[in-house]
Amino acid sequence: QLQKDLEEVKELLANATRKRVRDVLVAEKQKLELEIKNQPPPKPKDVAEEEKSSLGGYTVKINNYGWDQSDKFVKIYISLNGVQKLPAENVQVNFTERSFDLLVKNLNGKNYTMTFNNLLKPISVEGSSRKIKTDMVLVMCKKKREEKWDCLTQVEKESKEKEKAAYDTADPSEGLMNILKKMYAEGDDEMKRTINKAWVESREKQYKGDIPMDI
């Protein structure tokens, strides 16, 4: 494209007669020549096509997964339709002691990525691997120590601890209130009716002096 622009500028310059116009065209010609000189060399067509096909269209971040564990491994299951049809090199996982990232290239015209940082406990990079199954990638993180993980990441652990602290208060009735509020907010209609009924009954008992604590 730049070469075509340069040729057109040269043609205009050859026909230009006014000094001001010629000066503008000369400046533009020099600018284009410099841009062309600084351009990286074009890639061979087959390399460019290969890169294009391996990278696919655009990248999608994977958010859905399942996981479980054995004594030696933490296993993360990622569902991806048709992943078993890809060349093995298109499914890449990089491990560090406390993280891993997955890249699946050119699956149905898209790339898929998933990153886990701050794993709950250290893993063995050498012992970790990935397996490609029908419509699924299984990431196997080898535990450095054979112990149970309560969750996958440090962030999840901190989140659970904060939630627990909200209910674990010095005042037992306040803790119970927090639990009831959470159950009510997340429960179905039947759960809400049950909680309402228990609430009414507890108020009635309190008014009668049967129990001193307001729940």
Side-chain angles (χ1 to χ4, degrees):
Q1 197 67 40
L2 288 172
Q3 192 64 44
K4 287 181 181 178
D5 289 346
L6 179 59
E7 287 167 10
E8 192 166 318
V9 167
K10 283 180 178 177
E11 195 174 315
L12 291 170
L13 188 56
N15 297 321
T17 55
R18 299 183 65 82
K19 183 178 183 303
R20 190 169 177 183
V21 174
R22 285 182 64 83
D23 288 346
V24 170
L25 289 171
V26 167
E28 186 63 26
K29 173 175 169 284
Q30 290 170 345
K31 181 181 169 188
L32 284 166
E33 285 172 343
L34 187 62
E35 282 188 47
I36 290 168
K37 184 181 174 184
N38 292 333
Q39 267 195 321
K43 290 183 180 178
K45 189 176 178 184
D46 57 340
V47 174
E49 289 298 319
E50 185 182 331
E51 283 191 5
K52 186 178 177 184
S53 68
S54 69
L55 288 174
Y58 59 93
T59 300
V60 179
K61 190 173 180 183
I62 302 168
N63 293 312
N64 296 324
Y65 63 91
W67 76 285
D68 66 8
Q69 60 185 309
S70 63
D71 290 340
K72 295 183 178 180
F73 287 93
V74 171
K75 306 169 189 176
I76 297 92
Y77 301 88
I78 301 111
S79 295
L80 288 168
N81 286 335
V83 69
Q84 73 278 7
K85 298 173 186 174
L86 290 176
E89 61 269 20
N90 280 32
V91 182
Q92 301 169 0
V93 183
N94 292 316
F95 297 95
T96 73
E97 192 174 72
R98 293 298 287 267
S99 73
F100 73 84
D101 61 85
L102 165 72
L103 171 61
V104 179
K105 294 194 289 186
N106 198 19
L107 176 59
N108 302 321
K110 300 174 188 173
N111 305 316
Y112 291 85
T113 65
M114 170 180 267
T115 301
F116 273 91
N117 292 315
N118 299 314
L119 290 171
L120 185 66
K121 298 177 188 292
I123 63 173
S124 164
V125 174
E126 298 79 16
S128 298
S129 62
R130 61 103 179 96
K131 293 182 180 178
I132 302 170
K133 297 179 174 291
T134 303
D135 298 333
M136 180 184 291
V137 177
L138 170 58
V139 179
M140 307 272 291
C141 296
K142 175 79 180 293
K143 296 177 179 178
K144 274 212 164 178
R145 291 186 295 275
E146 294 185 14
E147 55 187 330
K148 185 183 177 185
W149 289 27
D150 297 324
C151 46
L152 270 179
T153 65
Q154 193 67 32
V155 174
E156 284 180 55
K157 181 186 177 187
E158 290 169 5
S159 176
K160 283 184 179 181
E161 285 174 351
K162 282 179 186 174
E163 191 172 303
K164 183 176 181 293
Y167 302 132
D168 189 15
T169 60
D171 183 348
S173 65
E174 186 181 336
L176 183 57
M177 275 297 298
N178 285 335
I179 292 169
L180 284 172
K181 283 176 184 174
K182 182 174 169 64
M183 288 171 64
Y184 189 88
E186 296 177 357
D188 55 17
D189 291 343
E190 184 63 36
M191 174 67 76
K192 288 175 179 171
R193 280 195 293 272
T194 303
I195 292 172
N196 278 331
K197 183 181 176 188
W199 175 263
V200 170
E201 288 176 357
S202 73
R203 300 294 289 183
E204 287 175 352
K205 285 182 181 178
Q206 186 198 359
Y207 291 143
K208 291 177 185 176
D210 292 346
I211 55 173
M213 186 176 75
D214 176 7
I215 67 163

